[in-house]
Amino acid sequence: MLRRKLAMASIQRADVIVAPSNAMADMIRHSDGKFNNKNILTLYHGFDANTLNQHIDKDIVEKLQSIQGPKLLYPTHAALHKGFDVLISALAKLRERGVAVTLITTVSPQDWPEGFSSYKQQIKELDLENYVVFLGRIPQNQMESLYQNFD
């Protein structure tokens, strides 16, 4: 609660608020009604939808097509704040309940070697090795093609 109060006080004093998405900007605008008149800018993420047209590699398509049941994609990189450990725990609970889902992610060991090792250990401990697929980094211009392979 204290962290939220400090964040709100900081935002109130800002001349410009920079948000990572339009959704976050809207949330800030409507949070307490105090920020309606604030200048809120959304970061531009630097890619054009017209560039998302390259097909993903055939070996990735074959790997994805070999997976039975629903496939969930988590496109991200390895970092503590990404909550990947929570997602792995949620996957274990789904599997325990009989939901035959496989998690596929773009997490790469190069992003955070120590964290990646802890993810692999958690997956092993929860017996999820056959239900988590690490694709590694996927170029931005191949992401639309990648999304088309998921539920």
Side-chain angles (χ1 to χ4, degrees):
M1 195 164 76
L2 179 59
R3 184 178 296 146
R4 178 174 167 73
K5 286 186 183 229
L6 288 171
M8 296 302 248
S10 176
I11 291 172
Q12 284 178 315
R13 289 176 178 79
D15 293 326
V16 176
I17 301 167
V18 180
S21 67
N22 287 335
M24 178 67 84
D26 288 343
M27 185 187 83
I28 292 169
R29 275 188 197 95
H30 300 99
S31 61
D32 287 338
K34 298 175 185 175
F35 308 114
N36 290 338
N37 298 326
K38 286 284 187 175
N39 187 11
I40 302 176
L41 302 176
T42 302
L43 287 176
Y44 173 69
H45 288 291
F47 66 90
D48 180 349
N50 295 326
T51 66
L52 301 175
N53 56 7
Q54 191 176 50
H55 294 289
I56 54 176
D57 298 329
K58 280 185 175 184
D59 58 328
I60 292 175
V61 172
E62 290 172 6
K63 184 186 287 189
L64 295 174
Q65 289 176 346
S66 71
I67 297 169
Q68 300 297 311
K71 298 181 294 282
L72 299 178
L73 174 64
Y74 185 40
T76 189
H77 61 273
L80 183 60
H81 69 281
K82 293 294 186 174
F84 198 71
D85 56 333
V86 176
L87 181 58
I88 294 168
S89 295
L91 177 64
K93 293 202 182 297
L94 287 171
R95 298 291 310 177
E96 287 170 11
R97 293 178 181 177
V99 180
V101 64
T102 300
L103 172 66
I104 295 94
T105 183
T106 58
V107 167
S108 172
Q110 297 96 324
D111 297 332
W112 182 32
E114 302 83 23
F116 187 84
S117 294
S118 70
Y119 297 156
K120 294 288 277 188
Q121 183 62 36
Q122 181 185 13
I123 290 165
K124 184 176 182 176
E125 289 171 4
L126 294 171
D127 197 25
L128 294 172
E129 294 164 304
N130 294 325
Y131 309 107
V132 179
V133 177
F134 292 97
L135 295 178
R137 295 177 181 161
I138 302 292
Q140 185 67 45
N141 60 359
Q142 295 178 15
M143 289 304 292
E144 180 178 2
S145 179
L146 180 66
Y147 287 137
Q148 293 173 5
N149 290 276
F150 289 88
D151 304 305

